[in-house]
Amino acid sequence: MPAGPARSWSTGGGSTPASPWRSAWRAPTSPPSRVWPRATNSIRWVQSPQDELAANFGIPAESIRVISPFVGGAFGNSARAWPHITIAALAARETGRPVKLVLTREQLYYGVGYRPSYDYKVRLGSDRRGRLAAMVHDLRAETSRYETFAERGVLSPGQMLYTTPNVAQMHRTVPLDVNTPTPMRGPGYSTAAFPIESAMDELAHKLGIDPIELRQRNEPDNDQSSGRPFSTRRLRECYTTGAREFGWNRRNPTPRSTRDGDWLVGTGMATALYDTLRAPAQVSVRLDADGTALVESATSDMGPGTYTSMTQVAADALGLAVRHVTFRLGDTNMPTAPLHGGSLTMASVGSTVRDGCDKLRQQAIELAVEDEDSPLYGVSAEDVVVRGGRLHVRDNPARGETYRQLLTRNNRTHLEALGSWTPGQSRSSMYAYGVVFAEVGVDARLGLVRVRRMLGVFDAGRIISPKLADSQAIGAMVGGIGMALLEHTVTDHRDGRIVNANLADYLVPVNADVPDLKAIYVDGEDTEADPLGVKGLGEVVLVGVAPAIANAVFHATGRRVRDLPITAESLL
């Protein structure tokens, strides 16, 4: 399929990525008389293929319905509409029948996006006490020839993570004969964290300063890139909590000083951060006469538990049991929602769910206090609360009635409301933070690296669901093990063929690679960021994993590895 003119877009809270394929198809002179099949697609932003297909086929977006209730894993590449979606729709239009198009494992390597490779050089200088004076970043990143992909987040850590009076950054993209990269977990930030945190660890070793102490000496009072105050920044608490829980004080700082039989044992740590992204969203809320509620939004669930967390927020706001609330998502016929990514869904859609449910609860309360037959008649609306599906006077629980009783008596089949939320302008710098600790064993003769245990401590604002948070954090640690030690796309530069485009040769962590993993979340909310006080968790939990493992490998072996993944060959 021919590519359209080159377009430019950036990640992280910017405009919708322009598609290079929008000019590939022209609208027919007259629309086909047959009805178009409904499009069912696995994607974590249903508006993306809707807009893509509307532009490609010259039809109104309202005529296209995209349904994606279950993504089945996003891995970065399901955030936008790739060419195969248009091909499937074209085939459906021409045949007048539903079409299912499935890419093979090998085709995925050529037909969708991936994490771009970087050549990242960092130089830093400090005084003998470890106070940073300057840092220079020189980045080169791959992109395709038909489209420029540049990650904004790759620059942020070098600008504001530490107090650094002088910072210089050079960021260049290198056009190659490859498909366009795409944002993948911790986009930009996880890439920058590896060289920056490795350099900080190397500086600590050179100066004979504990790595945690070095970072604390350079902890800024405000955002060094903008001068704005932090809305919240509990990074010092993350350092203290992590060091205590991990047993950092038992560490012998001398590299290659600890052994367990044939294994060299080392420990390392690294700091993580990710900006708190937010975007406008809408939801619809309906309370039926049977006392159950339905909440809908065109958001997605690629694994963080959107279904569950939004149900929890709705149940809390409506005063209902969780089992009486149903949350539906992933349909363009539902109220609009932003891209499901960048750790922005809980802040954006969650705040919208709360707004809609608050409005509906208030409707029910006003109906009750104005109903002469209600036990709440004449009571001030501010004095009425809802618990367990029952409206009652705050200081007199016996005086009240259920949603079911209220709606049935008033011959109402349901109440409904539209919730919306748009983030306002903030004068503060808003980020989620974390510290990752890792212990590794390195076979002294074979150079094999095995992660023995790992701990992550995160400042992510209010944690809505601890179980879902653990799923995100532990899953990210597993992914970080792959990033640090296993995952690598091998390209044959003679013909551009990817050599290991299969499940046998592209290595990912399995159960034997996953050791004792634990996550801790420091208490606190960020109500300046959003009404729920969340700061986003899904991205920041990956950012510090690879550098923490790399720093632990240095401590175990005394050898600094500057390329990922860390292989046995690099340690022999």
Side-chain angles (χ1 to χ4, degrees), residues 472-558:
Q472 288 291 286
I474 292 172
M477 292 180 196
V478 175
I481 292 172
M483 182 179 182
L485 303 176
L486 298 170
E487 297 188 57
H488 184 208
T489 300
V490 181
T491 303
D492 186 338
H493 294 288
R494 296 172 299 178
D495 57 10
R497 183 175 60 90
I498 296 174
V499 178
N500 60 335
N502 56 69
L503 290 171
D505 298 322
Y506 186 92
L507 304 180
V508 295
V510 296
N511 286 0
D513 299 307
V514 180
D516 177 18
L517 307 179
K518 181 181 180 181
I520 298 174
Y521 316 97
V522 299
D523 292 333
E525 301 179 358
D526 192 342
T527 53
E528 187 174 349
D530 54 83
L532 295 179
V534 302
K535 297 205 292 183
L537 182 69
E539 310 283 4
V540 70
V541 285
L542 174 73
V543 173
V545 178
I549 293 174
N551 292 339
V553 169
F554 168 77
H555 182 233
T557 65

Coordinates of all heavy atoms in Angstrom, one line a residue, residues 472-558:
Q472 N 0.3 -4.1 37.9 CA 1.1 -3.2 37.0 C 2.5 -3.2 37.4 O 3.4 -3.3 36.5 CB 0.5 -1.8 37.1 CG -0.9 -1.6 36.5 CD -0.7 -1.7 35.0 OE1 -0.3 -0.8 34.3 NE2 -1.2 -2.9 34.4
A473 N 2.8 -3.1 38.7 CA 4.2 -2.9 39.1 C 5.0 -4.2 38.9 O 6.1 -4.2 38.3 CB 4.3 -2.5 40.6
I474 N 4.5 -5.3 39.3 CA 5.2 -6.6 39.1 C 5.3 -7.0 37.6 O 6.4 -7.4 37.2 CB 4.5 -7.7 39.9 CG1 4.6 -7.4 41.4 CG2 5.1 -9.1 39.6 CD1 3.8 -8.3 42.3
G475 N 4.3 -6.7 36.9 CA 4.3 -6.9 35.4 C 5.4 -6.1 34.8 O 6.1 -6.6 33.9
A476 N 5.6 -4.8 35.2 CA 6.6 -4.0 34.7 C 8.0 -4.5 35.0 O 8.9 -4.4 34.2 CB 6.4 -2.6 35.2
M477 N 8.1 -5.0 36.2 CA 9.4 -5.5 36.6 C 9.8 -6.7 35.8 O 11.0 -6.9 35.3 CB 9.4 -5.9 38.1 CG 9.3 -4.8 39.1 SD 9.3 -5.4 40.8 CE 8.7 -3.9 41.6
V478 N 8.8 -7.6 35.5 CA 9.1 -8.7 34.6 C 9.5 -8.2 33.2 O 10.4 -8.6 32.6 CB 7.8 -9.6 34.5 CG1 8.1 -10.7 33.4 CG2 7.5 -10.2 35.8
G479 N 8.7 -7.2 32.7 CA 9.1 -6.6 31.4 C 10.5 -5.9 31.4 O 11.2 -6.0 30.4
G480 N 10.8 -5.3 32.6 CA 12.1 -4.7 32.7 C 13.3 -5.7 32.7 O 14.4 -5.4 32.2
I481 N 13.0 -6.9 33.2 CA 14.0 -8.0 33.2 C 14.3 -8.3 31.7 O 15.4 -8.5 31.3 CB 13.5 -9.2 34.0 CG1 13.5 -8.9 35.5 CG2 14.4 -10.4 33.7 CD1 12.8 -10.0 36.3
G482 N 13.2 -8.4 30.9 CA 13.4 -8.7 29.5 C 14.1 -7.6 28.8 O 15.0 -7.8 28.0
M483 N 13.8 -6.3 29.2 CA 14.5 -5.2 28.6 C 16.0 -5.2 28.9 O 16.9 -4.9 28.1 CB 13.9 -3.9 29.1 CG 14.4 -2.6 28.5 SD 13.5 -1.2 29.2 CE 14.3 0.1 28.3
A484 N 16.3 -5.6 30.1 CA 17.7 -5.5 30.6 C 18.5 -6.7 30.1 O 19.7 -6.5 29.9 CB 17.7 -5.4 32.1
L485 N 17.9 -7.9 30.1 CA 18.7 -9.1 29.9 C 18.4 -9.9 28.7 O 19.3 -10.8 28.3 CB 18.6 -10.0 31.2 CG 19.0 -9.3 32.5 CD1 18.7 -10.3 33.6 CD2 20.4 -8.9 32.5
L486 N 17.2 -9.8 28.1 CA 16.8 -10.7 27.1 C 16.4 -10.2 25.7 O 16.8 -10.7 24.7 CB 15.7 -11.6 27.6 CG 15.9 -12.4 28.9 CD1 14.6 -13.0 29.5 CD2 16.9 -13.5 28.6
E487 N 15.6 -9.1 25.7 CA 14.9 -8.7 24.5 C 15.8 -7.9 23.6 O 16.5 -7.0 24.0 CB 13.6 -7.9 24.8 CG 12.6 -8.7 25.6 CD 11.3 -8.0 25.7 OE1 10.7 -7.6 24.7 OE2 10.9 -7.8 26.9
H488 N 15.8 -8.4 22.3 CA 16.7 -7.7 21.3 C 16.2 -8.1 19.9 O 16.1 -9.3 19.6 CB 18.2 -8.2 21.5 CG 19.1 -7.5 20.6 ND1 20.3 -8.0 20.2 CD2 19.1 -6.3 20.0 CE1 21.0 -7.2 19.4 NE2 20.2 -6.1 19.3
T489 N 15.9 -7.1 19.1 CA 15.6 -7.4 17.7 C 16.9 -7.4 16.9 O 17.6 -6.4 16.9 CB 14.6 -6.4 17.2 OG1 13.4 -6.4 18.0 CG2 14.2 -6.7 15.8
V490 N 17.2 -8.5 16.2 CA 18.4 -8.6 15.4 C 18.0 -8.4 14.0 O 17.2 -9.1 13.4 CB 19.0 -10.0 15.6 CG1 20.3 -10.1 14.8 CG2 19.3 -10.2 17.1
T491 N 18.7 -7.4 13.3 CA 18.4 -7.1 11.9 C 19.6 -7.5 11.1 O 20.8 -7.2 11.4 CB 18.2 -5.6 11.8 OG1 17.1 -5.2 12.6 CG2 17.8 -5.2 10.4
D492 N 19.3 -8.1 10.0 CA 20.3 -8.4 8.9 C 20.4 -7.2 8.1 O 19.5 -6.9 7.3 CB 19.9 -9.6 8.1 CG 21.0 -10.0 7.1 OD1 21.8 -9.2 6.8 OD2 20.9 -11.2 6.7
H493 N 21.5 -6.4 8.2 CA 21.6 -5.1 7.6 C 21.9 -5.2 6.1 O 21.9 -4.2 5.4 CB 22.7 -4.3 8.3 CG 22.4 -3.9 9.7 ND1 21.4 -3.0 10.0 CD2 22.8 -4.4 10.9 CE1 21.3 -2.9 11.3 NE2 22.2 -3.7 11.9
R494 N 22.1 -6.4 5.6 CA 22.3 -6.6 4.2 C 20.9 -6.4 3.4 O 20.9 -5.9 2.3 CB 22.8 -8.0 3.9 CG 24.3 -8.2 4.4 CD 24.7 -9.6 4.2 NE 23.8 -10.5 5.0 CZ 23.9 -11.9 5.0 NH1 24.9 -12.4 4.3 NH2 23.1 -12.6 5.7
D495 N 19.8 -6.9 4.0 CA 18.5 -6.8 3.4 C 17.4 -6.3 4.3 O 16.3 -6.2 3.9 CB 18.1 -8.2 2.8 CG 18.1 -9.2 3.9 OD1 18.2 -8.9 5.1 OD2 17.9 -10.4 3.6
G496 N 17.8 -5.9 5.5 CA 16.8 -5.3 6.4 C 15.9 -6.4 7.0 O 14.9 -6.0 7.8
R497 N 16.2 -7.6 6.8 CA 15.3 -8.7 7.4 C 15.6 -8.8 8.9 O 16.7 -8.8 9.3 CB 15.6 -10.0 6.7 CG 14.8 -11.2 7.1 CD 15.1 -12.4 6.3 NE 16.5 -12.8 6.4 CZ 16.9 -13.7 7.3 NH1 16.1 -14.2 8.2 NH2 18.2 -13.9 7.3
I498 N 14.5 -9.0 9.7 CA 14.7 -9.2 11.1 C 14.9 -10.7 11.3 O 14.0 -11.6 11.0 CB 13.4 -8.7 11.9 CG1 13.4 -7.2 11.7 CG2 13.5 -9.1 13.3 CD1 12.1 -6.6 12.3
V499 N 16.0 -11.1 11.9 CA 16.4 -12.5 11.9 C 15.6 -13.3 12.9 O 15.3 -14.4 12.7 CB 17.9 -12.6 12.3 CG1 18.4 -14.0 12.4 CG2 18.8 -11.9 11.2
N500 N 15.3 -12.6 14.1 CA 14.6 -13.4 15.1 C 13.1 -13.0 15.3 O 12.6 -12.8 16.4 CB 15.3 -13.2 16.5 CG 15.4 -11.7 16.9 OD1 15.3 -10.8 16.1 ND2 15.5 -11.5 18.2
A501 N 12.5 -12.9 14.2 CA 11.0 -12.5 14.2 C 10.2 -13.7 14.4 O 9.3 -14.1 13.6 CB 10.7 -11.8 12.8
N502 N 10.4 -14.3 15.6 CA 9.6 -15.5 16.0 C 9.6 -15.7 17.5 O 10.4 -15.0 18.2 CB 10.2 -16.8 15.3 CG 11.6 -17.0 15.5 OD1 12.0 -17.3 16.6 ND2 12.5 -16.7 14.5
L503 N 8.8 -16.6 18.0 CA 8.7 -16.8 19.4 C 9.9 -17.6 20.0 O 10.0 -17.7 21.2 CB 7.4 -17.4 19.7 CG 6.2 -16.5 19.5 CD1 4.9 -17.4 19.7 CD2 6.2 -15.4 20.5
A504 N 10.6 -18.2 19.1 CA 11.7 -19.1 19.6 C 13.0 -18.3 19.8 O 13.7 -18.5 20.8 CB 12.0 -20.2 18.5
D505 N 13.3 -17.3 19.0 CA 14.5 -16.6 19.0 C 14.4 -15.2 19.6 O 15.5 -14.6 20.0 CB 15.2 -16.5 17.6 CG 15.5 -17.8 17.0 OD1 15.9 -18.7 17.7 OD2 15.2 -18.0 15.8
Y506 N 13.2 -14.6 19.7 CA 13.1 -13.4 20.4 C 12.7 -13.7 21.9 O 11.7 -14.2 22.2 CB 11.9 -12.5 19.8 CG 11.8 -11.2 20.5 CD1 12.5 -10.1 19.9 CD2 11.1 -10.9 21.6 CE1 12.5 -8.8 20.5 CE2 11.0 -9.7 22.2 CZ 11.7 -8.7 21.6 OH 11.7 -7.4 22.2
L507 N 13.7 -13.5 22.8 CA 13.6 -14.0 24.1 C 12.8 -13.0 25.0 O 13.1 -11.8 25.0 CB 15.0 -14.2 24.7 CG 15.9 -15.1 23.9 CD1 17.3 -15.3 24.6 CD2 15.3 -16.5 23.7
V508 N 11.9 -13.6 25.8 CA 11.2 -12.8 26.8 C 11.3 -13.6 28.2 O 11.5 -14.8 28.2 CB 9.7 -12.6 26.4 CG1 9.6 -11.7 25.2 CG2 9.0 -13.9 26.2
P509 N 11.1 -12.9 29.3 CA 11.2 -13.6 30.6 C 10.1 -14.7 30.7 O 9.0 -14.5 30.3 CB 11.0 -12.5 31.6 CG 11.3 -11.2 30.9 CD 10.9 -11.5 29.5
V510 N 10.5 -15.8 31.3 CA 9.5 -16.9 31.7 C 9.6 -17.0 33.2 O 10.3 -16.3 33.9 CB 9.9 -18.2 30.9 CG1 9.7 -18.0 29.4 CG2 11.3 -18.6 31.3
N511 N 8.8 -18.0 33.7 CA 8.7 -18.1 35.1 C 10.0 -18.3 35.8 O 10.2 -17.7 36.9 CB 7.8 -19.3 35.5 CG 6.3 -19.1 35.2 OD1 6.0 -18.0 34.7 ND2 5.5 -20.1 35.4
A512 N 10.9 -19.0 35.2 CA 12.2 -19.2 35.9 C 13.1 -17.9 35.9 O 14.0 -17.9 36.7 CB 13.0 -20.3 35.1
D513 N 12.7 -16.9 35.1 CA 13.5 -15.7 35.2 C 12.9 -14.7 36.2 O 13.4 -13.6 36.4 CB 13.4 -15.0 33.8 CG 14.1 -15.9 32.7 OD1 15.2 -16.3 33.0 OD2 13.4 -16.2 31.7
V514 N 11.7 -15.0 36.7 CA 11.0 -14.0 37.6 C 11.2 -14.4 39.0 O 10.7 -15.4 39.5 CB 9.5 -14.0 37.2 CG1 8.8 -13.0 38.1 CG2 9.3 -13.7 35.8
P515 N 12.0 -13.6 39.8 CA 12.3 -13.9 41.2 C 11.3 -13.3 42.1 O 10.1 -13.1 41.8 CB 13.7 -13.3 41.3 CG 13.6 -12.1 40.5 CD 12.7 -12.4 39.3
D516 N 11.8 -13.0 43.3 CA 11.0 -12.4 44.4 C 10.8 -10.9 44.0 O 11.7 -10.1 44.0 CB 11.7 -12.5 45.7 CG 11.0 -11.8 46.8 OD1 9.8 -11.5 46.7 OD2 11.6 -11.5 47.9
L517 N 9.6 -10.5 43.6 CA 9.3 -9.2 43.2 C 8.3 -8.5 44.2 O 7.3 -9.2 44.6 CB 8.7 -9.1 41.8 CG 9.5 -9.8 40.7 CD1 8.7 -9.7 39.4 CD2 10.9 -9.2 40.6
K518 N 8.5 -7.3 44.6 CA 7.6 -6.6 45.5 C 7.5 -5.1 45.2 O 8.5 -4.5 44.7 CB 8.2 -6.8 46.9 CG 7.3 -6.2 48.0 CD 7.9 -6.4 49.4 CE 7.1 -5.7 50.5 NZ 7.7 -5.9 51.9
A519 N 6.3 -4.6 45.4 CA 6.1 -3.2 45.2 C 5.5 -2.5 46.4 O 4.7 -3.1 47.1 CB 5.2 -3.0 44.0
I520 N 5.9 -1.3 46.7 CA 5.4 -0.5 47.8 C 4.9 0.8 47.2 O 5.6 1.4 46.4 CB 6.4 -0.3 48.9 CG1 6.8 -1.7 49.5 CG2 5.9 0.6 50.0 CD1 8.0 -1.6 50.5
Y521 N 3.9 1.4 47.8 CA 3.4 2.7 47.3 C 3.3 3.6 48.5 O 2.6 3.3 49.5 CB 2.0 2.5 46.7 CG 1.9 1.3 45.8 CD1 1.4 0.1 46.2 CD2 2.4 1.4 44.5 CE1 1.4 -1.0 45.4 CE2 2.4 0.3 43.6 CZ 1.9 -0.9 44.1 OH 1.9 -2.0 43.3
V522 N 4.0 4.8 48.4 CA 4.0 5.7 49.5 C 2.6 6.4 49.6 O 2.0 6.6 48.5 CB 5.1 6.7 49.4 CG1 6.5 6.1 49.4 CG2 5.0 7.6 48.1
D523 N 2.2 6.7 50.8 CA 0.9 7.3 51.0 C 0.9 8.8 50.4 O 1.9 9.5 50.5 CB 0.5 7.4 52.4 CG 0.2 6.0 53.0 OD1 -0.2 5.1 52.1 OD2 0.4 5.7 54.2
G524 N -0.2 9.2 49.9 CA -0.4 10.6 49.4 C -1.3 10.7 48.2 O -1.5 9.7 47.5
E525 N -1.8 11.9 48.0 CA -2.6 12.1 46.9 C -2.1 13.4 46.2 O -1.4 14.2 46.7 CB -4.1 12.4 47.3 CG -4.7 11.2 48.0 CD -6.2 11.5 48.4 OE1 -6.6 12.6 48.2 OE2 -6.8 10.6 49.0
D526 N -2.5 13.6 44.9 CA -2.2 14.8 44.2 C -3.5 15.4 43.6 O -3.9 15.2 42.5 CB -1.2 14.5 43.0 CG -0.6 15.8 42.4 OD1 -1.2 16.8 42.7 OD2 0.4 15.7 41.7
T527 N -4.2 16.1 44.5 CA -5.5 16.6 44.1 C -5.4 17.8 43.1 O -6.3 18.2 42.5 CB -6.3 17.1 45.3 OG1 -5.5 17.9 46.1 CG2 -6.7 15.9 46.2
E528 N -4.2 18.3 43.0 CA -3.9 19.3 42.0 C -4.0 18.8 40.6 O -4.3 19.4 39.6 CB -2.6 20.1 42.2 CG -2.4 21.3 41.4 CD -1.2 22.1 41.7 OE1 -0.6 21.8 42.8 OE2 -0.8 22.9 40.9
A529 N -3.6 17.5 40.5 CA -3.6 16.8 39.2 C -5.0 16.5 38.7 O -5.3 16.7 37.5 CB -2.7 15.6 39.2
D530 N -5.8 16.0 39.6 CA -7.1 15.6 39.2 C -8.0 15.3 40.5 O -7.4 15.2 41.6 CB -7.1 14.3 38.3 CG -6.3 13.2 39.0 OD1 -6.9 12.5 39.9 OD2 -5.1 13.0 38.8
P531 N -9.3 15.3 40.3 CA -10.1 15.1 41.5 C -9.9 13.8 42.3 O -10.1 13.8 43.5 CB -11.6 15.1 41.0 CG -11.4 15.9 39.7 CD -10.1 15.6 39.1
L532 N -9.4 12.8 41.6 CA -9.2 11.5 42.3 C -7.8 11.5 43.1 O -7.6 10.7 43.9 CB -9.2 10.4 41.3 CG -10.5 10.1 40.6 CD1 -10.3 8.9 39.7 CD2 -11.6 9.8 41.7
G533 N -6.9 12.4 42.7 CA -5.6 12.5 43.4 C -4.6 11.5 42.9 O -3.6 11.2 43.5
V534 N -4.9 10.9 41.7 CA -4.0 9.9 41.1 C -2.9 10.6 40.3 O -3.2 11.7 39.8 CB -4.7 8.8 40.3 CG1 -5.7 8.1 41.2 CG2 -5.4 9.4 39.1
K535 N -1.8 9.9 40.1 CA -0.7 10.5 39.2 C -0.3 9.5 38.1 O 0.5 9.9 37.3 CB 0.5 10.8 40.1 CG 0.3 11.9 41.1 CD 1.5 12.6 41.5 CE 2.5 11.7 42.2 NZ 3.7 12.5 42.6
G536 N -0.9 8.4 38.0 CA -0.6 7.4 37.0 C 0.5 6.5 37.4 O 1.5 6.9 38.0
L537 N 0.3 5.2 37.1 CA 1.2 4.2 37.6 C 1.8 3.3 36.5 O 3.0 2.8 36.6 CB 0.5 3.3 38.7 CG 1.3 2.2 39.4 CD1 2.4 2.8 40.3 CD2 0.4 1.3 40.1
G538 N 1.1 3.0 35.5 CA 1.4 2.0 34.5 C 2.7 2.2 33.8 O 3.4 1.2 33.4
E539 N 3.2 3.5 33.6 CA 4.4 3.7 32.9 C 5.6 3.8 33.8 O 6.7 3.2 33.6 CB 4.3 5.1 32.1 CG 3.1 5.2 31.3 CD 3.1 4.4 30.0 OE1 4.1 3.7 29.8 OE2 2.2 4.6 29.2
V540 N 5.5 4.5 35.0 CA 6.6 4.8 35.8 C 7.2 3.5 36.4 O 8.4 3.4 36.7 CB 6.2 5.8 37.0 CG1 5.3 5.1 38.0 CG2 7.4 6.3 37.6
V541 N 6.4 2.5 36.5 CA 6.9 1.2 37.2 C 7.9 0.5 36.3 O 8.6 -0.4 36.8 CB 5.7 0.3 37.5 CG1 4.9 0.8 38.7 CG2 4.7 0.2 36.3
L542 N 8.0 0.8 35.0 CA 9.0 0.2 34.2 C 10.3 1.0 34.1 O 11.4 0.4 33.9 CB 8.5 0.0 32.8 CG 9.5 -0.5 31.7 CD1 9.7 -2.0 31.9 CD2 9.0 -0.3 30.3
V543 N 10.2 2.3 34.3 CA 11.3 3.2 33.9 C 12.6 2.9 34.6 O 13.6 2.9 33.9 CB 10.8 4.7 34.2 CG1 12.0 5.6 34.0 CG2 9.6 5.1 33.4
G544 N 12.6 2.5 35.8 CA 13.9 2.4 36.5 C 14.4 0.9 36.6 O 15.5 0.7 37.2
V545 N 13.7 0.0 36.0 CA 14.0 -1.4 36.2 C 15.4 -1.8 35.5 O 16.3 -2.3 36.1 CB 12.9 -2.3 35.7 CG1 13.3 -3.8 35.8 CG2 11.6 -2.1 36.4
A546 N 15.5 -1.5 34.2 CA 16.7 -1.8 33.5 C 18.0 -1.2 34.1 O 19.0 -1.9 34.3 CB 16.6 -1.5 32.0
P547 N 18.0 0.1 34.4 CA 19.2 0.6 35.0 C 19.5 0.1 36.4 O 20.7 0.0 36.7 CB 18.9 2.2 35.1 CG 17.4 2.3 34.9 CD 17.0 1.2 34.1
A548 N 18.5 -0.3 37.2 CA 18.7 -0.9 38.5 C 19.4 -2.2 38.3 O 20.4 -2.5 39.0 CB 17.4 -1.0 39.2
I549 N 19.0 -3.0 37.3 CA 19.6 -4.3 37.1 C 21.1 -4.1 36.6 O 22.0 -4.8 37.0 CB 18.8 -5.1 36.0 CG1 17.5 -5.5 36.7 CG2 19.6 -6.3 35.6 CD1 16.5 -6.2 35.7
A550 N 21.2 -3.1 35.7 CA 22.6 -2.9 35.1 C 23.5 -2.4 36.2 O 24.7 -2.8 36.3 CB 22.5 -1.8 34.0
N551 N 23.0 -1.6 37.1 CA 23.9 -1.1 38.2 C 24.2 -2.2 39.2 O 25.3 -2.3 39.7 CB 23.2 0.0 39.0 CG 23.1 1.3 38.1 OD1 23.8 1.5 37.2 ND2 22.2 2.2 38.5
A552 N 23.3 -3.2 39.4 CA 23.5 -4.3 40.2 C 24.6 -5.2 39.5 O 25.4 -5.8 40.2 CB 22.2 -5.1 40.4
V553 N 24.5 -5.4 38.2 CA 25.5 -6.2 37.5 C 26.9 -5.6 37.7 O 27.9 -6.3 37.8 CB 25.1 -6.3 36.0 CG1 26.3 -6.9 35.2 CG2 23.9 -7.1 35.8
F554 N 27.0 -4.2 37.6 CA 28.3 -3.6 37.8 C 28.8 -3.9 39.2 O 30.0 -4.2 39.4 CB 28.2 -2.1 37.6 CG 29.4 -1.3 38.1 CD1 30.6 -1.3 37.4 CD2 29.4 -0.7 39.3 CE1 31.7 -0.7 37.8 CE2 30.5 0.0 39.8 CZ 31.7 0.0 39.0
H555 N 27.9 -3.8 40.2 CA 28.3 -4.0 41.6 C 28.8 -5.5 41.8 O 29.7 -5.7 42.5 CB 27.2 -3.7 42.5 CG 27.5 -3.9 44.0 ND1 26.7 -4.7 44.8 CD2 28.5 -3.4 44.7 CE1 27.3 -4.6 46.0 NE2 28.3 -3.8 46.0
A556 N 28.2 -6.4 41.0 CA 28.5 -7.8 41.2 C 29.9 -8.1 40.5 O 30.7 -8.9 41.0 CB 27.4 -8.7 40.6
T557 N 30.1 -7.5 39.3 CA 31.2 -7.9 38.5 C 32.3 -6.8 38.4 O 33.5 -7.1 38.0 CB 30.8 -8.2 37.1 OG1 30.2 -7.0 36.5 CG2 29.7 -9.2 37.1
G558 N 32.0 -5.6 38.7 CA 33.0 -4.5 38.4 C 33.0 -4.1 37.0 O 33.9 -3.2 36.6

